[in-house]
Structure formats: structure tokens, C-alpha cells
Amino acid sequence: MFPCYRIVEIILYSLINFIPFLVLALYAFYGSLRFPKPITLFLVVILSLLQAGCGFLATLLLPEEKGMLNVLSTSVYFLFYFIAVKAHLGKVLFTLLMLSNIANLVVVLSKCAEGLIFPETAAQPYRWSFSVVMLAMECIFLIPLYFYIRRFFTEMMKKEEKLSVWRYLWAIPATFYLIWSYHLYGGTQSALEQSLNPANAFFLLCINLGAFLVYHIVVCLMDEYDKNFALKAKNAQLALQKLQYENMKNKISETRQARHDLHHHIAVLSGYLHDGRLEELESYLAGYLNSMPDDSSIVFCQNYEVNLLLCYFSQQAKERQVDFLVHADIPENLGVDEVDISVLLGNLLENALDACILEENIHKKIVVRGQTKNNTLFLTIDNTFHGKVKKDKNGRYLSSKHEGEGIGIESAKQIVLCYHGIFQVDCEDGLFCVSVMLPLDRD
């Protein structure tokens, strides 16, 4: 039977080794917690009690049995984190593995320091000396880490993932985690013996410093990418405004030309009227009215950005003898960032028009359909296409205008994936069809 002070030592170690890292892991996603804070706090208390129980149970097991208990404890911790945090799986794994590596470093350095300061208790598991040294070591490492997470990491976690790279970035801390595990448990010495050796502790410290440098580079690269993406989005918005300006300028130019020619038409009409040639007057007047520039505003849908793009590409298609058919019922307040919807639709319409221009068939057409239903935007863009679709070995579509990957389709696809939507491309029966299903958030 364990004396009471030993039970307290075991519980104290379990909580000190667990709670600070759990708090940091949750803090990195404090804006993406799945449950309200009281429920999350309750689950943290339950999980802490389970971890304390596992620590107490570990003292009763043989060394070869402790490994399985450690796996079980870690699995429960990971399961709780995946349930409590609502974020991209790659981000969650990256954060968990990064903090797990730092936790392992703190444990090893604490045991090494305990061996130097309290050599008489260092060989015994879960003694008060270990907890005291670990608490001091956590202050050294975790306080700066907290400010780093607050300054850099949380901002990156809050940003929407514009690329699918998070599916792979978690492998970086996973690799270091495997190095840790192999170094501690893969040799002939026990993990305790390895930790008590200052040379091993220094080696693991160097590994972790290098790993953290890699983590920081990832954070900086993702931040730089986000800034570039924001700049591209701003450029797209400026291009949309330029498009509106060009349309207005063309309308003004056409109106000026019509007003300039007006006195010539009035002279001809006056001549017909003076000579009593009413039939010629009526015919000339009908022809003149048909030649007047269209000053009416075409409204394809209520959404301003979408309607502006449809009007522009409708005019472009008309000038290139391409039929442009639109069946759109898209509301003014769509619940999608105006830059994203502009880039998405603009890329798809530009690709469709470019494909039709390259067609030799005289019957060229683009059909656009869009509607919202059940808080979801459904959008399809079909264009005639009788050529051969080019793909790379990964199934991505290649450009017909230049060597390499088609930027327009990939850019549109990434925006759809950012909103957790569905992007599908089909080519059959002489039509190239792009279908988009985009969940909307109107809260």
C-alpha cells in the first residue's frame, strides 16, 4: 500500500506534466473550440483525473507494461483534442505533435537536472523533486512559448486554409516525434538512463531547437502565403473595379458618338418630312433606333459582383460570336467573401470563353446556371469543347494556353475547398462542365 505522500507525489507529477501543455494546445485554437467554455473545462477536469489515474497505475506495472499504458493515455489525450477542437485535421495534428515534442524535451531535461541536483531521488519515479524541477523547467520553456503562440501561432490557426498543404505539414513534427521515440526507447539503455545522461539530454535539446526552427519557418511561410493571397485578392477586386470603369467608359464613348451623329440624322429626317416621303422616314427612323447604343443595364442576378462579371463576359462572348446563356438566381447577400466569389467565377468564365475562342465549330456556347438552395450555392458553367483535355499524372488539368498546370481551374478549386465545398469537372458529349457546390455562411 502506497503511503499518502507518494500518492500525492504521483498525482502532482501527472498534473504538472499534463495540464500546462493541454492549456497551450487549447489556447492555440481558442476561437475554434467545439463546445462552450464550461463544457470544455469540465472535459479538461475529467481528462486530468484520467491522466492522474494512469500515472498512479503506471507505478504498479512492470516496465514492459508501461509502454502500453502510455500509448493508451496518449490516445485518450489525442481523442479528446480532436473532439474539443473544430479545425483542419492537419492543423490539429501539427499542433499536437509539436507540443508533444516540447513536452518530451521538458521531461528529459527535468530528469537530467533532477539527477544533478537531487541524485538520491532521481532514480525513483514520480518523486517530489522531479515535480519541482519540472515546474521550474516549464516556466523556462512554456512562458516564452505562450507568448510565441499568442503572437504568431494563434493568428495562423485562425486563418482559413487556402491550400491543401496542411494535409502534409503535420508530417514535419511527426518525423521529429519518431526521432524522439527511437532515441529514447530504441536503444539498449532505458529511457531513465538516457535522460540522466547530460550528453543525451543536450543532444535532444539540439534536436528540439532545430525542430522548433523548422516550425517557425513553416509559420513564417504560411503567413507570407496568406499575405500574398490577400494581395492577389485585392488585385482581383481592383480588376473588378477596372472592369466596371471600362464598361462605363465604353457606354459614355458610344453615347458621345451617337450625340455627335445626331444632327446628321436630324437633317436626313427633316428632308424626308419636308418632301413628304413618310415611308422612307419611318424606315430610316426604325434603322436609326436600332443603331442606338443599348443604355439599359442588363441584370442577370441580384448579386452585384456576379452580375458585373456576367455582363462583362456576356459582352466579350457576343463580340466573339459565342452564345452566352445565363440562368441565375443568386441573391444580393450571398454569405461568401466578394473577392472569393469574383475570383472563382471570373476564372471559370475566362477559361470557358478561352476554350470557345479556340474552337473551330461555329456553334459555340457557354451556359451558366446558378442558384442558392438550403444555404448552399450551386453553380455550373458548361462550354462547348471538341478538343482533347490534357491532364498531368496527378489528374490536374493542364492549360491550353501555355505549358504547365491550368492556374484558373486550380485557383477556383482551392477557393471552393477553402469553404469546404465540392468542385467537379466533367468532359463529355462535346461539353466541358464545371460544377460547384459551395456551403454558405450567412450568420
Side-chain angles (χ1 to χ4, degrees), residues 229-298:
F229 190 89
L231 181 61
K232 290 180 180 179
K234 189 66 176 179
N235 290 338
Q237 194 170 21
L238 292 175
L240 196 62
Q241 293 174 355
K242 180 181 178 182
L243 173 61
Q244 183 184 22
Y245 169 74
E246 291 293 336
N247 286 341
M248 293 176 61
K249 189 171 71 172
N250 291 337
K251 290 290 184 181
I252 293 173
S253 178
E254 291 175 357
T255 303
R256 284 179 176 174
Q257 183 65 39
R259 291 183 62 182
H260 177 268
D261 296 338
L262 182 60
H263 67 279
H264 300 297
H265 295 296
I266 291 176
V268 175
L269 292 172
S270 298
Y272 281 135
L273 183 62
H274 182 270
D275 297 336
R277 300 166 62 180
L278 298 182
E279 291 185 1
E280 288 88 342
L281 172 64
E282 182 178 1
S283 176
Y284 187 88
L285 183 60
Y288 171 66
L289 290 175
N290 289 332
S291 67
M292 289 288 289
D294 183 13
D295 61 351
S296 61
S297 299
I298 302 176

Side-chain angles (χ1 to χ4, degrees), residues 107-124 128-130 133-134 137 192-202 205:
V107 169
V108 171
L109 294 181
S110 299
K111 179 56 69 174
C112 182
E114 184 194 17
L116 297 175
I117 302 172
F118 305 101
E120 66 280 358
T121 59
Q124 303 175 32
W128 63 269
S129 55
F130 191 22
V133 174
M134 179 176 290
M137 201 66 67
L192 177 61
E193 293 172 329
Q194 296 251 24
S195 301
L196 290 174
N197 188 338
N200 284 332
F202 179 75
L205 175 62

